[in-house]
Amino acid sequence: MSMNSANNNIYTVSRLNAEVRLLLENEMGIVWLVGEISNLTVPVSGHWYFTLKDSRAQVKCAMFKGNNRRVTFKPANGNQVLVRARLSLYEPRGDYQIIVESMQPEGDGLLQQQFDKLKMNLAAEGLFAADLKRPLPEQPRRVGIITSKTGAALHDILHVLKRRDPSLPVVIYPTQVQGKDAAIQIAQAIGRANSRDECDVLIVGRGGGSLEDLWCFNEEIVARTIAASTIPIVSAVGHEVDVTIADFVADVRAPTPSAAAELVSRDTSLRTQQYSQRTDRLAHSVSTHLARSRTALTRLQHRLAMQHPQARLQQQAQQFDELERRLYQSMRQTLQTEAQRLDRSAQRLERYSPASQIPQLSIQLRYTEQRLVDGMKQLMSQQRHALALQMETLDAVSPLATLARGYSITRNDKGNVLKNVADTSKGDVITTTLADGEVQSTIL
């Protein structure tokens, strides 16, 4: 043997533990295990760690949070349980352990195992197939009840049937519904009801209880007898959450015995209501038909009356009256329109007439005259004031003022002012203007 092949057969501890874990998990698969819980610990992670033991051995167990949430009871040290688990190995310590996937108390767990096994076998045979289910009769002539004659289920069923359909006949096949002989008695009662053939539908069931209490409805003999029944069977076992093999085989499953009674019975109050509704519908239909017939008759009578000559003459006379009324109304409307137009024209003429304008024009004239007088007075006042100013100015530069101070003005016969002696000649007549008059002189 070479050195390399020898090295390949040398395991590390990690490799050994890993391969042993795979060997355990792959070879053993899922196992069912019964034992007593001890050393139970629940850390903050929510996982459960405990030991399962019997009188001679023990094994470590782990149940992780995702699986233990489905456990319906609170486990404690000393509990006898049935677990479904797979074998494994905790590699860091090399500890052999089992990983628990489900847990039940030992008694219920064993029954659940039997339940699952029988359910699987019967399903494989096709006893649960939907095409084997028989429909319930719509209006049963007689209902059979297979249950305990002293149980609360019978009382509940009879109470519902009496309330919904008191006229429905009922046949009771009393039997045990709990105990080791209950399954045989239930199967015999179903067979007796089929042989007598006096009922249209059977209710098989009882009230609620534990899995052990309801176990007779999980027996194979009951399941096969229900499947072989020629009469449709309604399974009504326990409460709504309870499920039995009988529920899967029966033609219909009712969640409670009371619900089963409602399924197989007719609600007379509903039938009364339906009868009343149908009566109302019939009366409404007849009333509607009569109303339509009356309407058609009235329409025909109206057509006949419209086609009569007298009716046509009356219609034409009415049309003539209508035209006459419309003509009169049109003429009156035209006259009213013309009268209104004439009134508007007269008002306009009167508004523009000279006679109506004279008073206003007289007022305007007097107002204008007054304004003219006032304007003239104001203008004269302004002219007088301006004249006074000009006179003052003229007086300031007037020759008369100069003459009044002793001066004089001399003009020749042509009226020209003499300014120089040279402007005069011998014999000229000159005029001298003084402050109080004029003096004429002849130059010698």
Side-chain angles (χ1 to χ4, degrees):
M1 180 181 296
S2 66
M3 183 64 66
N4 289 334
S5 64
N7 291 337
N8 289 335
N9 291 328
I10 298 175
Y11 284 81
T12 63
V13 176
S14 299
R15 178 186 171 193
L16 176 64
N17 286 350
E19 292 197 10
V20 171
R21 179 182 63 81
L22 292 176
L23 181 64
L24 288 173
E25 292 179 353
N26 294 332
E27 294 297 327
M28 294 295 297
I30 299 297
V31 296
W32 290 88
L33 188 65
V34 176
E36 178 186 335
I37 295 178
S38 64
N39 300 323
L40 175 64
T41 59
V42 182
V44 294
S45 62
H47 308 314
W48 294 350
Y49 301 99
F50 56 94
T51 301
L52 277 184
K53 65 179 182 178
D54 57 19
S55 59
R56 292 184 295 176
Q58 64 180 16
V59 62
K60 291 183 178 181
C61 305
M63 190 172 192
F64 297 114
K65 187 176 181 180
N67 291 323
N68 63 36
R69 285 178 177 175
R70 296 192 294 268
V71 177
T72 58
F73 69 102
K74 185 176 182 180
N77 290 326
N79 290 158
Q80 289 287 334
V81 294
L82 171 69
V83 299
R84 181 178 183 271
R86 54 184 175 84
L87 272 67
S88 184
L89 183 85
Y90 184 58
E91 295 182 25
R93 288 200 304 264
D95 288 343
Y96 153 71
Q97 64 178 3
I98 61 174
I99 306 300
V100 179
E101 296 183 353
S102 65
M103 178 188 296
Q104 296 174 349
E106 181 181 0
D108 290 348
L110 294 175
L111 291 177
Q112 187 66 42
Q113 270 190 310
Q114 297 176 25
F115 177 91
D116 293 338
K117 182 178 179 180
L118 179 59
K119 177 183 174 183
M120 186 180 302
N121 293 338
L122 295 181
E125 292 184 25
L127 265 68
F128 303 162
D131 55 355
L132 298 180
K133 307 297 182 183
R134 293 173 292 269
L136 301 183
E138 293 184 2
Q139 296 183 351
R141 295 178 293 105
R142 188 177 288 107
V143 175
I145 304 174
I146 300 176
T147 188
S148 172
K149 62 181 179 180
T150 60
L154 178 61
H155 173 76
D156 294 341
I157 294 172
L158 294 178
H159 176 73
V160 173
L161 294 178
K162 182 178 180 180
R163 172 175 55 83
R164 288 173 58 86
D165 192 357
S167 63
L168 180 63
V170 176
V171 178
I172 300 174
Y173 303 92
T175 179
Q176 291 185 17
V177 290
Q178 184 175 341
K180 64 177 183 178
D181 297 330
I184 297 176
Q185 290 190 18
I186 293 171
Q188 291 174 346
I190 296 173
R192 186 164 59 254
N194 276 268
S195 63
R196 291 167 59 174
D197 194 20
E198 56 190 349
C199 299
D200 301 307
V201 62
L202 295 175
I203 298 176
V204 179
R206 57 155 287 163
S210 65
L211 180 61
E212 186 176 0
D213 295 337
L214 305 179
W215 190 251
C216 58
F217 293 95
N218 292 319
E219 296 283 358
E220 184 175 359
I221 185 173
V222 174
R224 294 192 180 278
T225 304
I226 292 175
S229 174
T230 58
I231 302 174
I233 292 180
V234 178
S235 174
V237 181
H239 303 297
E240 187 172 358
V241 296
D242 298 323
V243 180
T244 65
I245 298 295
D247 295 330
F248 294 106
V249 185
D251 299 293
V252 176
R253 178 194 179 248
T256 62
S258 297
E262 292 186 359
L263 288 173
V264 301
S265 61
R266 299 164 294 180
D267 191 348
T268 54
S269 62
L270 178 61
R271 286 198 302 165
T272 302
Q273 182 180 1
Q274 291 175 346
Y275 174 78
S276 177
Q277 291 175 350
R278 290 174 182 175
T279 303
D280 292 342
R281 288 172 58 189
L282 178 61
H284 178 71
S285 298
V286 172
S287 177
T288 303
H289 178 72
L290 290 175
R292 290 176 180 173
S293 299
R294 292 192 191 97
T295 302
L297 178 61
T298 303
R299 189 182 302 112
L300 291 174
Q301 289 176 345
H302 179 69
R303 288 179 59 189
L304 180 61
M306 291 297 295
Q307 294 175 359
H308 197 278
Q310 184 179 1
R312 298 187 62 184
L313 289 175
Q314 292 176 350
Q315 183 177 6
Q316 291 176 359
Q318 185 177 359
Q319 290 177 351
F320 175 77
D321 293 339
E322 176 66 19
L323 292 174
E324 184 180 14
R325 184 188 63 79
R326 290 172 59 186
L327 177 60
Y328 173 75
Q329 184 177 2
S330 178
M331 291 176 61
R332 184 174 61 181
Q333 182 68 29
T334 302
L335 290 174
Q336 289 178 352
T337 303
E338 292 298 324
Q340 292 174 358
R341 189 173 64 83
L342 182 60
D343 290 342
R344 289 195 298 270
S345 299
Q347 291 174 1
R348 292 176 60 189
L349 180 61
E350 183 179 359
R351 187 166 59 250
Y352 293 106
S353 174
S356 62
Q357 295 181 0
I358 288 175
Q360 184 177 1
L361 292 175
S362 299
I363 295 172
Q364 292 180 355
L365 179 60
R366 289 194 296 270
Y367 177 72
T368 304
E369 289 177 348
Q370 184 64 40
R371 288 183 61 191
L372 180 60
V373 172
D374 294 341
M376 291 178 64
K377 289 180 179 180
Q378 184 178 4
L379 180 61
M380 290 179 65
S381 176
Q382 292 175 353
Q383 292 295 331
R384 287 192 189 98
H385 180 68
L387 180 59
L389 292 176
Q390 292 177 359
M391 287 178 65
E392 290 178 359
T393 304
L394 181 61
D395 186 60
V397 297
S398 173
L400 295 178
T402 303
L403 294 176
R405 292 195 300 269
Y407 294 94
S408 64
I409 300 173
T410 304
R411 295 182 179 84
N412 59 17
D413 54 356
K414 295 181 180 179
N416 297 325
V417 177
L418 297 178
K419 300 178 180 180
N420 300 311
V421 176
D423 294 334
T424 63
S425 299
K426 186 178 179 179
D428 291 340
V429 178
I430 59 177
T431 302
T432 300
T433 302
L434 300 174
D436 57 352
E438 296 179 348
V439 177
Q440 290 185 347
S441 305
T442 301
I443 298 177
L444 300 176

